[in-house]
Amino acid sequence: MLGIARRKAVRGGVSVLGRQIQRNSGPSAPAFGSHGYATAAKETLHLRQGSHLVRIIGSHGNLGCQASLRSLREVGSCLQTGPSRQIWKRSYSSEGDVVEAVVPFMGESITDGTLASFLKHPGDRVEVDEPIAQIETDKVTMDVGSPEAGIIQQLLAKVGDTVEPGTKIAIISKSGDHAHVAPSESPTNKADATKKDKTDEKVKAKTPAQEKPVSEDSAPKEKPKAPSPPSTKPSPSEPQLPPKDRERRVPMTRLRKRVATRLKDSQNTYAMLTTFNEVDMTNLMKLRSDYKDAFVEKHGVKLGFMSGFVKGAVSALQSQPIVNAVIDGDDIIYREYIDISIAVGTPKGLVVPVIRDADKMNFADIEKGINSLAKKATEGTISIDEMAGGSFTISNGGVYGSLLSTPIINPPQSAILGMHSIVNRPMVVGGQVVSRPMMNVALTYDHRLIDGREAVLFLRRVKDVVEDPRRLLLDI
């Protein structure tokens, strides 16, 4: 039938489902290629090629459906008889003034997180983008903002749940007047639940009397199995030690789990070796003392020791490029950039923000970058992008009083520089024993890639630059 209808349409008219469709005539009539038709009842069939939307507009109502322009079979399938109605396809549904807060995208390498806490509760007022919950991931703690201003109507998740991007965690009513908190269990629901429980109990009481025993012939006979001996090995979930008084057990945070996994993987992967040296901090401390006030007045930040070691590490990486490289399978990747990772200890765990292109920065730029990243890390507002990458790491255990340590490489890097506390020690200078502020420094490196010669020369270069910062000006 539809084939006949298509041939008649070409000749000027077609009858589809009992309606006569004719081509328009006259100067204002559209061409056949524009797919415009008119019926005797002044109904118009519009076919728009861009969206392939077929709409029948007539005196009885409108119909819409998806169709292809290449065949009138799909047009015929769209035409329906019966009462007039209108069909529209929406990209999303809206429920009045109610919106849902969902977990945002958390980063390329992060697939889920733990709902750490709710900052808002049912009945609280929130503004647009105001944080309502915190998600703890393997790297950072991020906020979930409110998509609209309104009242928290209901929480859809619980603290401790594992959530993924797109997970709904709260319902927000944009209209404060119509927003009402969803109770956990209303009296009506309690009464219904009580009645249901009583009914279930009656049904269960009657069921045993009404049920007939299963025939012995219908059930296959099985030989009795010998009881297996009780297992002496505890399951992985059981504690290895019996509980004691004055002890408490708390779950590890995702950040702590991630740090533990990465450090253990580093030990299992790298052939780590550590070399040590000591640095005389006299000249750098004098430089800081002479210009600290002028430095703060001009740049707005204090001049610290970390910027001097970053500049020393940059100079050493330029002189020993293999320390800035990394092993990838059977290849060695030489990085043409220097991104220095600075280890920062926070109440929630260790994070390592990155100073990008440190080789292009001066002392002031480095200090500003360190202060900004350290503040964000402490407040928990640092982003994943600010910690991604990095070609070399510096860890300053001296701020906590560490005298000597062997730092662990931060994967996928190949080396890490450890700084320690400054201690006045007797040193021989110019044939005389004098007191000098000395710092022990350590370089842990991947011995698969870096030989002892390169490691010692690297650490020696850091020592020379820190002990005499004028070398940076003269490039010697």
Side-chain angles (χ1 to χ4, degrees), residues 103-119:
V103 177
F105 175 71
M106 295 182 286
E108 294 292 342
S109 60
I110 299 179
T111 57
D112 58 17
T114 301
L115 184 57
S117 63
F118 276 105
L119 305 179

PDB file of all heavy atoms in Angstrom, residues 103-119:
ATOM      1  N   VAL A 103      27.539  13.989  41.781  1.00  0.00           N
ATOM      2  CA  VAL A 103      28.991  14.006  41.946  1.00  0.00           C
ATOM      3  C   VAL A 103      29.625  14.456  40.632  1.00  0.00           C
ATOM      4  O   VAL A 103      29.341  13.876  39.580  1.00  0.00           O
ATOM      5  CB  VAL A 103      29.510  12.614  42.346  1.00  0.00           C
ATOM      6  CG1 VAL A 103      31.021  12.611  42.458  1.00  0.00           C
ATOM      7  CG2 VAL A 103      28.877  12.179  43.657  1.00  0.00           C
ATOM      8  N   PRO A 104      30.485  15.470  40.644  1.00  0.00           N
ATOM      9  CA  PRO A 104      31.075  15.961  39.394  1.00  0.00           C
ATOM     10  C   PRO A 104      32.214  15.057  38.923  1.00  0.00           C
ATOM     11  O   PRO A 104      32.616  14.112  39.595  1.00  0.00           O
ATOM     12  CB  PRO A 104      31.592  17.351  39.792  1.00  0.00           C
ATOM     13  CG  PRO A 104      31.935  17.211  41.242  1.00  0.00           C
ATOM     14  CD  PRO A 104      30.919  16.262  41.816  1.00  0.00           C
ATOM     15  N   PHE A 105      32.735  15.375  37.735  1.00  0.00           N
ATOM     16  CA  PHE A 105      33.893  14.675  37.196  1.00  0.00           C
ATOM     17  C   PHE A 105      35.090  14.920  38.103  1.00  0.00           C
ATOM     18  O   PHE A 105      35.392  16.048  38.469  1.00  0.00           O
ATOM     19  CB  PHE A 105      34.183  15.177  35.782  1.00  0.00           C
ATOM     20  CG  PHE A 105      35.423  14.603  35.166  1.00  0.00           C
ATOM     21  CD1 PHE A 105      35.474  13.277  34.765  1.00  0.00           C
ATOM     22  CD2 PHE A 105      36.548  15.392  34.998  1.00  0.00           C
ATOM     23  CE1 PHE A 105      36.612  12.756  34.198  1.00  0.00           C
ATOM     24  CE2 PHE A 105      37.688  14.881  34.424  1.00  0.00           C
ATOM     25  CZ  PHE A 105      37.722  13.559  34.025  1.00  0.00           C
ATOM     26  N   MET A 106      35.802  13.856  38.485  1.00  0.00           N
ATOM     27  CA  MET A 106      36.842  13.966  39.492  1.00  0.00           C
ATOM     28  C   MET A 106      38.255  13.880  38.942  1.00  0.00           C
ATOM     29  O   MET A 106      39.213  14.049  39.678  1.00  0.00           O
ATOM     30  CB  MET A 106      36.648  12.863  40.550  1.00  0.00           C
ATOM     31  CG  MET A 106      35.364  13.013  41.340  1.00  0.00           C
ATOM     32  SD  MET A 106      35.152  11.748  42.620  1.00  0.00           S
ATOM     33  CE  MET A 106      34.737  10.324  41.630  1.00  0.00           C
ATOM     34  N   GLY A 107      38.426  13.637  37.665  1.00  0.00           N
ATOM     35  CA  GLY A 107      39.763  13.573  37.084  1.00  0.00           C
ATOM     36  C   GLY A 107      39.896  12.373  36.166  1.00  0.00           C
ATOM     37  O   GLY A 107      39.117  11.418  36.212  1.00  0.00           O
ATOM     38  N   GLU A 108      40.927  12.431  35.313  1.00  0.00           N
ATOM     39  CA  GLU A 108      41.122  11.384  34.321  1.00  0.00           C
ATOM     40  C   GLU A 108      41.396  10.031  34.965  1.00  0.00           C
ATOM     41  O   GLU A 108      40.914   9.014  34.512  1.00  0.00           O
ATOM     42  CB  GLU A 108      42.295  11.761  33.399  1.00  0.00           C
ATOM     43  CG  GLU A 108      42.024  12.977  32.535  1.00  0.00           C
ATOM     44  CD  GLU A 108      40.961  12.720  31.479  1.00  0.00           C
ATOM     45  OE1 GLU A 108      40.697  11.536  31.192  1.00  0.00           O
ATOM     46  OE2 GLU A 108      40.398  13.676  30.943  1.00  0.00           O
ATOM     47  N   SER A 109      42.193  10.000  36.027  1.00  0.00           N
ATOM     48  CA  SER A 109      42.612   8.742  36.627  1.00  0.00           C
ATOM     49  C   SER A 109      41.778   8.343  37.837  1.00  0.00           C
ATOM     50  O   SER A 109      42.100   7.370  38.506  1.00  0.00           O
ATOM     51  CB  SER A 109      44.086   8.832  37.040  1.00  0.00           C
ATOM     52  OG  SER A 109      44.286   9.865  37.986  1.00  0.00           O
ATOM     53  N   ILE A 110      40.714   9.061  38.144  1.00  0.00           N
ATOM     54  CA  ILE A 110      39.906   8.788  39.324  1.00  0.00           C
ATOM     55  C   ILE A 110      38.513   8.376  38.880  1.00  0.00           C
ATOM     56  O   ILE A 110      37.819   9.126  38.193  1.00  0.00           O
ATOM     57  CB  ILE A 110      39.837  10.017  40.256  1.00  0.00           C
ATOM     58  CG1 ILE A 110      41.246  10.389  40.729  1.00  0.00           C
ATOM     59  CG2 ILE A 110      38.944   9.750  41.437  1.00  0.00           C
ATOM     60  CD1 ILE A 110      41.286  11.589  41.629  1.00  0.00           C
ATOM     61  N   THR A 111      38.124   7.173  39.237  1.00  0.00           N
ATOM     62  CA  THR A 111      36.823   6.644  38.819  1.00  0.00           C
ATOM     63  C   THR A 111      35.766   6.724  39.905  1.00  0.00           C
ATOM     64  O   THR A 111      34.576   6.717  39.607  1.00  0.00           O
ATOM     65  CB  THR A 111      36.965   5.181  38.381  1.00  0.00           C
ATOM     66  OG1 THR A 111      37.528   4.411  39.471  1.00  0.00           O
ATOM     67  CG2 THR A 111      37.904   5.075  37.177  1.00  0.00           C
ATOM     68  N   ASP A 112      36.167   6.785  41.172  1.00  0.00           N
ATOM     69  CA  ASP A 112      35.189   6.867  42.245  1.00  0.00           C
ATOM     70  C   ASP A 112      35.825   7.516  43.459  1.00  0.00           C
ATOM     71  O   ASP A 112      37.010   7.820  43.479  1.00  0.00           O
ATOM     72  CB  ASP A 112      34.632   5.477  42.598  1.00  0.00           C
ATOM     73  CG  ASP A 112      35.737   4.494  43.007  1.00  0.00           C
ATOM     74  OD1 ASP A 112      36.854   4.960  43.319  1.00  0.00           O
ATOM     75  OD2 ASP A 112      35.499   3.281  43.016  1.00  0.00           O
ATOM     76  N   GLY A 113      35.013   7.745  44.465  1.00  0.00           N
ATOM     77  CA  GLY A 113      35.473   8.359  45.694  1.00  0.00           C
ATOM     78  C   GLY A 113      34.565   7.965  46.840  1.00  0.00           C
ATOM     79  O   GLY A 113      33.544   7.281  46.654  1.00  0.00           O
ATOM     80  N   THR A 114      34.935   8.395  48.030  1.00  0.00           N
ATOM     81  CA  THR A 114      34.158   8.105  49.231  1.00  0.00           C
ATOM     82  C   THR A 114      33.482   9.374  49.723  1.00  0.00           C
ATOM     83  O   THR A 114      34.127  10.422  49.821  1.00  0.00           O
ATOM     84  CB  THR A 114      35.062   7.532  50.339  1.00  0.00           C
ATOM     85  OG1 THR A 114      35.695   6.346  49.865  1.00  0.00           O
ATOM     86  CG2 THR A 114      34.254   7.215  51.577  1.00  0.00           C
ATOM     87  N   LEU A 115      32.186   9.284  49.995  1.00  0.00           N
ATOM     88  CA  LEU A 115      31.452  10.429  50.523  1.00  0.00           C
ATOM     89  C   LEU A 115      31.915  10.670  51.955  1.00  0.00           C
ATOM     90  O   LEU A 115      31.549   9.930  52.873  1.00  0.00           O
ATOM     91  CB  LEU A 115      29.952  10.167  50.459  1.00  0.00           C
ATOM     92  CG  LEU A 115      29.027  11.308  50.877  1.00  0.00           C
ATOM     93  CD1 LEU A 115      29.300  12.557  50.057  1.00  0.00           C
ATOM     94  CD2 LEU A 115      27.572  10.892  50.731  1.00  0.00           C
ATOM     95  N   ALA A 116      32.774  11.680  52.137  1.00  0.00           N
ATOM     96  CA  ALA A 116      33.400  11.911  53.444  1.00  0.00           C
ATOM     97  C   ALA A 116      32.438  12.556  54.431  1.00  0.00           C
ATOM     98  O   ALA A 116      32.352  12.139  55.587  1.00  0.00           O
ATOM     99  CB  ALA A 116      34.653  12.767  53.280  1.00  0.00           C
ATOM    100  N   SER A 117      31.702  13.582  53.985  1.00  0.00           N
ATOM    101  CA  SER A 117      30.820  14.286  54.915  1.00  0.00           C
ATOM    102  C   SER A 117      29.824  15.128  54.137  1.00  0.00           C
ATOM    103  O   SER A 117      30.046  15.471  52.976  1.00  0.00           O
ATOM    104  CB  SER A 117      31.629  15.188  55.860  1.00  0.00           C
ATOM    105  OG  SER A 117      32.311  16.192  55.125  1.00  0.00           O
ATOM    106  N   PHE A 118      28.721  15.461  54.803  1.00  0.00           N
ATOM    107  CA  PHE A 118      27.737  16.407  54.272  1.00  0.00           C
ATOM    108  C   PHE A 118      27.916  17.734  54.992  1.00  0.00           C
ATOM    109  O   PHE A 118      27.892  17.788  56.230  1.00  0.00           O
ATOM    110  CB  PHE A 118      26.315  15.895  54.480  1.00  0.00           C
ATOM    111  CG  PHE A 118      25.846  14.942  53.421  1.00  0.00           C
ATOM    112  CD1 PHE A 118      25.757  13.587  53.678  1.00  0.00           C
ATOM    113  CD2 PHE A 118      25.509  15.397  52.161  1.00  0.00           C
ATOM    114  CE1 PHE A 118      25.346  12.703  52.713  1.00  0.00           C
ATOM    115  CE2 PHE A 118      25.084  14.534  51.175  1.00  0.00           C
ATOM    116  CZ  PHE A 118      25.007  13.174  51.453  1.00  0.00           C
ATOM    117  N   LEU A 119      28.098  18.793  54.226  1.00  0.00           N
ATOM    118  CA  LEU A 119      28.225  20.128  54.793  1.00  0.00           C
ATOM    119  C   LEU A 119      26.863  20.777  55.016  1.00  0.00           C
ATOM    120  O   LEU A 119      26.762  21.740  55.777  1.00  0.00           O
ATOM    121  CB  LEU A 119      29.082  21.000  53.878  1.00  0.00           C
ATOM    122  CG  LEU A 119      30.467  20.448  53.526  1.00  0.00           C
ATOM    123  CD1 LEU A 119      31.197  21.394  52.590  1.00  0.00           C
ATOM    124  CD2 LEU A 119      31.282  20.192  54.787  1.00  0.00           C
TER     125      LEU A 119
END
